Amino acid sequence: MNATALATRLLTERPRPRGIAGWRHAHWLAVGTVCLGAFLGQLDASVIALVFPALGRHFGAGFAAVEWVALAYLLVLVALLAPIGWLSDLVGRKTMYIGGFAVFGLSSLGAGFAGGLWVLVGLRAVQAVGAAMMQANSVALVARGVPGHAMRRALGIQASAQGLGLALGPILGGMLVEHASWRWVFWVNVPIAVFGILAGWYLLPRTRTTGAPADAPAAVPGPREGRTGTHRTGSHRPGTRREDARRTGPREDARFDFPGLLLLTGATTTLLLALSTASGLPLPGWAVAALLLVSAALALALVRQERRAARPILAPGLVNTPGVRSGLVVALIGYLLLFCPLVLGPVLLTGAGVSTAHAGLVVTLLPAAFAFAATVGGGLLPRGWSDVTRCRFGALLTAVGLLLFALLPASDAVAPPLLVAGYGLGLLLPANNALVMRAIPAQCSAVGGGMVNMARSLGTALGMALSVLGVHLAGAASGGRTVLLSLAAVATAAALLTRPVRTRGTGP
């Protein structure tokens, strides 16, 4: 068998067994498989904060270096979500999703054996490749495999799986670090990944056959959240090149915006490097100013590139749509508010003499309350409340919770404030995302969803970097509380930024 034949065989998606494909509830098996990836990705995002102190002790490294175990993962994830969505249109989303489990599992296995900190950082970057392969295709796989009447419920179940992974991460990480080793934080991913590969092979429907996309029961969003191929029926009236690029899959006249992607990655990487250098990363003092200047220059170049790109990853026309820009800022703020306490909580609690396992148990209340509010907790609010009201109420609740967290002693006393802050964030972020997507024209929803995902990942990265900076500049106790007080003010600003939007049905 030659290389071409082998590649064709590997990339050809296999159909599900006939007995599974013919079962009338088979779509829930596909949803369950997607939930495995959603759970794994969020578990890994929230578990890592509990490992920072153990990694610092093991490798003899400072907090500013150790944080790159998380930052490298987030940067690669931000960079690859869009191109992997585009590539998945070509090779098939089932293939890419199963491959994501394989890459994630193998890199997790290697990360557990890492003998040096920067080897671990590199393996975390590879891990992010696998995470992007899963995350870029999850919504599309649900949309392809689930009938329209069950779509809302299926996406709600997927969100619940993400919330469960986010909530279990801190407590699992604390227990593994205290009773086993930091290495098990990575090894625990391996059996889940193996099970995901098997489930994906047998339970996910085909999204592509050799040479053409497979038939689908429903239309799927665009490449950043799941457009699958260019199969169309009926006539097509040509429009402008940019309009065609929005309507169809990858084409020669609507190439992926790789220059924009490189500029975005460069701007965010240099910004985070500058924050890490200010936090104690062993680079020359002048490097902070130099990196900030490079980041600003790359950001300006990105703006120019996106204005002329046929298929921009950050469409300027959408960003300037009323309600979208402020909504993206609130999305970034929301995840900054979520992940800052996940980093600071274990530092403050263990510094006050609390065990790592118990600190994980206390901190897990924040993502647990977030997951509850995001899935079912909104039903406790008055039915007449609009998304704007929910956003503002959630942001103010978050501000109150973070303020109390900053003022109370680092002990079990911070548990109620964490519950309040988590519940507030669980109200704020889903309602804000709904406002953003409502403001975006329907045919541009894939691009808009991609921008929301980028804002989420950048907010997470900035939350971790700013937490480390505060601890470095003012010490664990004083710096942590200063950051928490600042976050309370930022949460209040998020309430003020929220604006009503007008539903947009057509593009500009």
Side-chain angles (χ1 to χ4, degrees), residues 13-194:
E13 296 181 345
R14 301 294 174 182
R16 293 173 291 180
R18 189 171 301 174
I20 293 176
W23 187 42
R24 65 190 183 98
H25 297 300
H27 54 277
W28 293 118
L29 299 178
V31 171
T33 303
V34 172
C35 284
L36 278 175
F39 171 83
L40 187 60
Q42 294 301 312
L43 177 75
D44 202 71
S46 62
V47 75
I48 199 66
L50 271 294
V51 188
F52 285 170
L55 291 177
R57 291 191 298 269
H58 182 85
F59 293 114
F63 213 171
V66 169
E67 70 171 333
W68 278 91
V69 173
L71 295 182
Y73 178 94
L74 292 167
L75 284 170
V76 173
L77 187 63
V78 169
L80 291 185
L81 278 174
I84 283 181
W86 173 77
L87 183 61
S88 298
D89 285 333
L90 305 178
V91 301
R93 296 189 177 274
K94 177 177 178 176
T95 297
M96 291 294 281
Y97 198 78
I98 295 173
F101 274 120
V103 172
F104 198 94
L106 288 172
S107 56
S108 296
L109 182 65
F113 286 109
L117 177 61
W118 296 107
V119 173
L120 178 59
V121 170
L123 286 166
R124 282 282 290 170
V126 178
Q127 221 181 14
V129 176
M133 293 169 71
M134 292 185 286
Q135 188 172 324
N137 292 293
S138 58
V139 173
L141 287 169
V142 171
R144 176 172 292 278
V146 175
H149 66 85
M151 186 70 64
R152 182 184 296 273
R153 184 182 176 194
L155 292 175
I157 292 173
Q158 183 196 12
S160 299
Q162 291 175 323
L164 181 63
L166 196 64
L168 288 180
I171 187 171
L172 179 63
M175 293 177 62
L176 289 174
V177 169
E178 182 162 322
H179 299 295
S181 164
W182 64 264
R183 299 182 186 276
W184 280 99
V185 170
F186 301 104
W187 286 338
V188 75
N189 297 328
V190 177
I192 303 175
V194 171

Side-chain angles (χ1 to χ4, degrees), residues 49-458:
L50 271 294
V51 188
F52 285 170
L55 291 177
R57 291 191 298 269
H58 182 85
F59 293 114
F63 213 171
V66 169
E67 70 171 333
W68 278 91
V69 173
L71 295 182
Y73 178 94
L74 292 167
L75 284 170
V76 173
L77 187 63
V78 169
L80 291 185
L81 278 174
I84 283 181
W86 173 77
L87 183 61
S88 298
D89 285 333
L90 305 178
V91 301
R93 296 189 177 274
K94 177 177 178 176
T95 297
M96 291 294 281
Y97 198 78
I98 295 173
F101 274 120
V103 172
F104 198 94
L106 288 172
S107 56
S108 296
L109 182 65
F113 286 109
L117 177 61
W118 296 107
V119 173
L120 178 59
V121 170
L123 286 166
R124 282 282 290 170
V126 178
Q127 221 181 14
V129 176
M133 293 169 71
M134 292 185 286
Q135 188 172 324
N137 292 293
S138 58
V139 173
L141 287 169
V142 171
R144 176 172 292 278
V146 175
H149 66 85
M151 186 70 64
R152 182 184 296 273
R153 184 182 176 194
L155 292 175
I157 292 173
Q158 183 196 12
S160 299
Q162 291 175 323
L164 181 63
L166 196 64
L168 288 180
I171 187 171
L172 179 63
M175 293 177 62
L176 289 174
V177 169
E178 182 162 322
H179 299 295
S181 164
W182 64 264
R183 299 182 186 276
W184 280 99
V185 170
F186 301 104
W187 286 338
V188 75
N189 297 328
V190 177
I192 303 175
V194 171
F195 187 70
I197 292 171
L198 295 174
W201 184 268
Y202 289 105
L203 303 180
L204 289 177
R206 284 189 297 178
T207 62
R208 188 176 183 86
T209 57
T210 303
D215 291 335
V220 206
R224 293 166 186 80
E225 288 199 0
R227 181 160 40 190
T228 56
T230 58
H231 178 72
R232 307 177 69 84
T233 58
S235 61
H236 170 59
R237 181 172 57 87
T240 66
R241 183 170 72 170
R242 181 167 298 185
E243 289 171 342
D244 287 344
R246 289 172 177 169
R247 285 194 295 257
T248 65
R251 294 174 45 153
E252 290 183 1
D253 62 347
R255 296 172 183 170
F256 184 79
D257 183 20
F258 284 108
L261 177 67
L262 292 175
L263 290 169
L264 173 66
T265 305
T268 53
T269 301
T270 49
L271 173 61
L272 292 173
L273 270 174
L275 292 175
S276 293
T277 303
S279 303
L281 196 68
L283 291 176
W286 54 263
V288 176
L291 287 166
L292 288 174
L293 287 173
V294 172
S295 180
L298 291 173
L300 290 174
L302 174 63
V303 172
R304 289 195 295 268
Q305 165 63 22
E306 297 306 275
R307 284 175 177 169
R308 64 172 181 261
R311 186 177 175 180
I313 56 174
L314 296 174
L318 291 185
V319 173
N320 293 326
T321 301
V324 173
R325 181 185 299 169
S326 59
L328 292 175
V329 172
V330 171
L332 186 149
I333 288 174
Y335 279 90
L336 185 151
L337 296 174
L338 177 62
F339 277 87
C340 259
L342 286 179
V343 174
L344 291 173
V347 174
L348 293 173
L349 290 167
T350 55
V354 178
S355 70
T356 304
H358 191 74
L361 180 61
V362 173
V363 172
T364 203
L365 295 174
L366 175 73
F370 171 80
F372 173 77
T375 51
V376 298
L380 301 178
L381 300 178
R383 290 186 178 182
W385 278 18
S386 66
D387 283 329
V388 172
T389 304
R390 288 168 182 262
C391 280
R392 291 172 177 168
F393 180 70
L396 293 175
L397 268 185
T398 304
V400 171
L402 293 173
L403 180 63
L404 292 174
F405 186 13
L407 297 178
L408 291 173
S411 64
D412 288 347
V414 303
L418 286 172
L419 285 171
V420 171
Y423 189 84
L425 286 168
L427 298 177
L428 167 66
L429 286 168
N432 177 71
N433 291 348
L435 287 172
V436 172
M437 298 310 294
R438 194 176 300 139
I440 290 173
Q443 70 270 28
C444 302
S445 60
V447 181
M451 291 193 295
V452 170
N453 280 334
M454 288 181 189
R456 176 180 64 187
S457 297
L458 291 175

